[in-house]
Amino acid sequence: MKPSNQEDSPADAVNMPQGFDRRRFLGLAAMSVAAAELGIIESASAQSGEIAPESAGKRGRNQSFDAIKQINVGLLNIGYAEAGPADGPAVILLHGWPYDIHSYVDVAPILAAEGYRVVIPYLRGYGTTRFLSDETFRNGQQSVVALDIVALMDALGIQKAIIGGFDWGARTANIIAALWPERCKAMVSVSGYLIGSPAANKKPLPPKAELTWWYQYYFATDRGRAGYGIYRHDFAKLIWQIASPKWDFDDATFDRSAASFDNPDHVSIVIHNYRWRLGLADGERKYDDLERRLAESPVIGVPTITMEGDANGAAHPDPSAYAGKFSGRYAHRLIKGGIGHDLPQEAPEAFAKAIVDVDKF
């Protein structure tokens, strides 16, 4: 097995035979003490020129992207939005579940105005992204989602990018930064270090902690799969309300993103993702070596800013638990004002500023 910092090409990775690890952060806490004592974990209020986040109840200014583009990438035809000059430094922004590219509808114009080329793809199973073959296994394991994004970069001629994300998107950014650091100039990751493994996730948690993962157990049943297929919009709205309890989003904002869940592969990808995390569904053997490397919890060396909202109702690790997983220049920002799980959409100025700032690290 190669060391975690040895570079692989995307082609090599494909030829080798996304919830965060719910326990990993507990074991990481001790490693972060030294970092905290050195003062490298910073709050948003400590940052000079920090942009104040919008109120959690305020609706975003931009309601849609100008156009959705499509490109064949590996196993997929990926739909993506793009903003900014084509020759600008690249920024790739990745959404989570159950969200979509509109989490960045207010972030993208801010970054475009700063001269960045901003690319926001629909992940597999969302929006206009489609599998090229009906025969392809609808795989949602963490390494595969990351490989999709590396392949997208190849197709768009992007050698290196700043990568930002939350939820599944943060995990995907973490994986690219860990396994292919030559493709990641810097990273902004909401909720920090989210790389996990099915083996680590087998250890039970105390009941109160398990309660936050209730949907994983629902998805593990045939009833849950059927229920998500029938009620996916209502299900997603409930998750939004739980994960961002102080965000008074309106129906138009939710419906704009909920349309992306009508993707014909959405249910299969989501169910496989969560079952794979718990070791209840197999991945594909050709990705086993990548998953073994990720299960070792590799340290990330690229410049990184991690972020957290002060009202995140979704399960998430304490920042002190993962600070030691970042060996390059690093800062953490707590965004106040009732900001929940979908931080880029709830506090777009703060997220965009983190992208600009990490580019200067």
Side-chain angles (χ1 to χ4, degrees):
M1 183 179 297
K2 298 178 183 178
S4 60
N5 63 350
Q6 184 167 334
E7 297 180 359
D8 290 319
S9 70
D12 290 340
V14 172
N15 290 330
M16 281 192 266
Q18 153 223 105
F20 69 76
D21 183 335
R22 301 174 299 159
R23 283 148 298 280
R24 180 95 63 199
F25 68 86
L26 297 175
L28 296 176
M31 290 189 292
S32 67
V33 171
E37 289 177 348
L38 289 172
I40 63 174
I41 303 175
E42 303 170 317
S43 69
S45 61
Q47 301 292 317
S48 60
E50 180 67 35
I51 301 174
E54 292 182 319
S55 165
K58 184 177 179 180
R59 186 177 177 185
R61 294 180 297 276
N62 299 286
Q63 299 310 307
S64 64
F65 292 103
D66 290 339
I68 301 299
K69 302 178 180 180
Q70 300 290 142
I71 190 169
N72 286 346
V73 171
L75 302 173
L76 303 170
N77 177 266
I78 289 183
Y80 66 100
E82 188 168 13
D87 60 350
V91 174
I92 297 176
L93 302 177
L94 304 173
H95 67 82
W97 172 86
Y99 305 92
D100 82 331
I101 63 174
H102 292 94
S103 291
Y104 299 103
V105 73
D106 289 314
V107 173
I110 298 173
L111 294 177
E114 293 286 338
Y116 290 98
R117 178 190 182 185
V118 187
V119 176
I120 312 105
Y122 284 110
L123 301 185
R124 54 171 58 196
Y126 295 81
T128 61
T129 292
R130 296 290 188 275
F131 284 87
L132 296 174
S133 172
D134 291 338
E135 305 303 315
T136 303
F137 175 53
R138 272 39 178 178
N139 187 344
Q141 71 185 97
Q142 62 181 356
S143 61
V144 176
V145 180
L147 284 170
D148 291 342
I149 303 307
V150 176
L152 175 64
M153 293 173 67
D154 290 342
L156 295 177
I158 298 172
Q159 178 57 37
K160 200 166 191 174
I162 301 168
I163 304 178
F166 74 103
D167 197 84
W168 289 23
R171 180 175 304 105
T172 302
N174 291 174
I175 292 169
I176 296 172
L179 297 185
W180 302 288
E182 73 280 5
R183 309 303 300 269
C184 184
K185 180 180 180 182
M187 179 174 66
V188 173
S189 178
V190 177
S191 297
Y193 188 92
L194 304 182
I195 298 172
S197 74
N201 284 333
K202 289 181 179 180
K203 184 178 179 182
L205 295 173
K208 187 175 181 180
E210 293 284 15
L211 180 62
T212 63
W213 296 99
W214 63 272
Y215 54 89
Q216 290 196 124
Y217 304 109
Y218 182 64
F219 288 163
T221 68
D222 290 340
R223 178 186 176 91
R225 181 187 176 97
Y228 188 60
I230 296 169
Y231 300 111
R232 72 188 78 171
H233 289 196
D234 292 342
F235 199 102
K237 180 173 281 190
L238 176 61
I239 295 295
W240 280 37
Q241 292 165 342
I242 293 171
S244 297
K246 296 187 178 182
W247 181 25
D248 187 23
F249 58 87
D250 59 19
D251 288 342
T253 298
F254 174 76
D255 291 343
R256 180 180 61 186
S257 290
S260 71
F261 312 146
D262 292 331
N263 182 295
D265 301 305
H266 179 75
V267 173
S268 293
I269 293 297
V270 170
I271 296 300
H272 183 261
N273 177 283
Y274 285 103
R275 290 183 179 181
W276 177 86
R277 295 187 197 191
L278 294 179
L280 301 176
D282 289 334
E284 293 180 86
R285 299 282 75 81
K286 60 184 175 180
Y287 305 117
D288 280 356
D289 189 60
L290 290 178
E291 295 298 347
R292 279 193 293 269
R293 293 169 62 188
L294 293 173
E296 294 174 352
S297 189
V299 171
I300 293 173
V302 306
T304 297
I305 292 175
T306 58
M307 308 184 75
E308 193 61 80
D310 66 340
N312 185 0
H316 60 280
D318 187 273
S320 65
Y322 53 70
K325 299 306 298 180
F326 301 101
S327 62
R329 185 170 179 189
Y330 172 72
H332 178 76
R333 295 181 178 179
L334 174 65
I335 308 303
K336 298 182 179 180
I339 303 303
H341 191 59
D342 187 2
L343 192 153
Q345 190 164 192
E346 298 175 60
E349 292 93 346
F351 188 90
K353 186 174 190 303
I355 293 287
V356 174
D357 288 349
V358 83
D359 189 23
K360 301 173 184 176
F361 273 17

